Amino acid sequence: KARLERVRELRSSVMLIGEPGSGRQLCARTLHRPNTAWIAPNDTLFLEDASGKELAQAVDGTLFLRSVDTLGRDAQRALLQLLPGIERCNTRVISSAGPGLPQRVAEGEFDSRLFGALSTVTLRLPRLRDHLEDVPEVASLILARLAEAKEVPLKPFSTAALNQLRMYPWPGNLAQLEAVVKSAAIVAPGDEIVPVDVATALSTHDTGPAASLGNLSLDVELREARDAFERAYFEYHIAREGGNMSRVAERVGLERT
């Protein structure tokens, strides 16, 4: 949030780089100036519109381009040609991309001129699993917002439930956490959300254990890699079973001890 606030008043283009679910559009909205136009095309058809009607709506406002790393070469060329006109309209361009885009640029798969034009300022969004200590607070904020919007009943997390959320590696990042919080609040039968409610929600919005291992490095000795895998593996299953070690043992095929 502090980094976003430092560049909010700039007119420079901003590229937000992060994993899916890391809140790229949420960050773009934070950078958007209030009471100005917000244009966020859902596809690349606007690049084929020679009249530029859709882009004209973004004058003095914000044009948000999601997932530019998926653009093909023709779309990249078309966007590069449109950018000078967009800038003349005092439109701020904010784009988002996955963490692999710089590598695509280095390999010549993404136009380096377009990358340079879109990334005057580049912000890398953190993965949720890299700051798990913040998960309880973030989850509580999400819950409060959902309750205020009348999307879920007003009930708090128990301390054990918050600890369970903190132990999970969140391969789907912020989007997955929000889905789990909403689901847990809806299915919880009691006056508070307890670990079994979180476990039920996780089983519904589980992106799979393989996805949670994306941050494990292979450029280490076998013993270190094995230790890292086992830690991630057991943290995943302990969170999934709500800390019930007997169920964890049964699921992973080991004795409880």
Side-chain angles (χ1 to χ4, degrees), residues 190-205:
D191 295 331
E192 66 177 1
I193 303 169
V194 297
V196 66
D197 303 319
V198 172
T200 300
L202 280 171
S203 66
T204 304
H205 301 282

Side-chain angles (χ1 to χ4, degrees), residues 19-177:
E19 290 185 354
S22 57
R24 296 182 298 202
Q25 182 160 336
L26 177 64
C27 290
R29 278 286 191 179
T30 302
L31 294 174
H32 174 62
R33 291 190 302 170
N35 304 316
T36 64
W38 166 269
I39 302 297
N42 291 318
D43 50 47
T44 59
L45 293 178
F46 75 97
L47 295 174
E48 304 170 10
D49 180 12
S51 65
K53 291 181 180 178
E54 186 168 15
L55 297 181
Q57 300 173 30
V59 172
D60 296 326
T62 301
L63 174 65
F64 176 57
L65 303 174
R66 52 172 62 87
S67 302
V68 294
D69 50 328
T70 64
L71 294 177
R73 293 188 183 276
D74 291 343
Q76 292 175 37
R77 281 193 292 269
L79 179 55
L80 188 60
Q81 292 172 358
L82 283 174
L83 285 179
I86 295 172
E87 292 174 357
R88 285 194 294 270
C89 293
N90 196 33
T91 300
R92 187 181 198 183
V93 179
I94 302 176
S95 57
S96 71
L101 180 57
Q103 183 64 28
R104 289 194 63 200
V105 175
E107 295 173 353
E109 296 179 3
F110 193 92
D111 194 309
S112 59
R113 296 169 299 169
L114 178 59
F115 178 73
L118 294 175
S119 60
T120 304
V121 176
T122 302
L123 294 177
R124 293 186 176 272
L125 308 186
R127 304 176 302 187
L128 197 54
R129 60 184 173 273
D130 290 338
H131 53 108
L132 292 176
E133 68 280 1
D134 295 328
V135 168
E137 182 178 0
V138 175
S140 297
L141 287 170
I142 291 172
L143 182 62
R145 178 173 56 79
L146 291 172
E148 184 178 357
K150 309 296 184 184
E151 295 185 39
V152 301
L154 180 60
K155 60 181 69 175
F157 282 105
S158 70
T159 300
L162 288 174
N163 286 334
Q164 184 178 0
L165 292 172
R166 182 176 53 81
M167 292 166 58
Y168 188 74
W170 302 107
N173 290 298
L174 194 63
Q176 185 187 15
L177 175 60

Side-chain angles (χ1 to χ4, degrees), residues 174-249:
L174 194 63
Q176 185 187 15
L177 175 60
E178 184 163 357
V180 168
V181 168
K182 185 174 184 177
S183 180
I186 291 173
V187 302
D191 295 331
E192 66 177 1
I193 303 169
V194 297
V196 66
D197 303 319
V198 172
T200 300
L202 280 171
S203 66
T204 304
H205 301 282
D206 183 8
T207 60
S212 68
L213 302 177
N215 62 329
L216 296 184
S217 173
L218 300 181
D219 296 321
V220 295
E221 292 183 355
L222 176 60
R223 179 177 298 177
E224 185 178 347
R226 183 165 53 233
D227 289 346
F229 170 81
E230 287 186 354
R231 178 180 177 84
Y233 178 80
F234 284 112
E235 284 181 346
Y236 166 82
H237 283 290
I238 290 170
R240 184 173 182 177
E241 300 301 335
N244 186 311
M245 301 307 285
S246 296
R247 287 206 301 267
V248 171

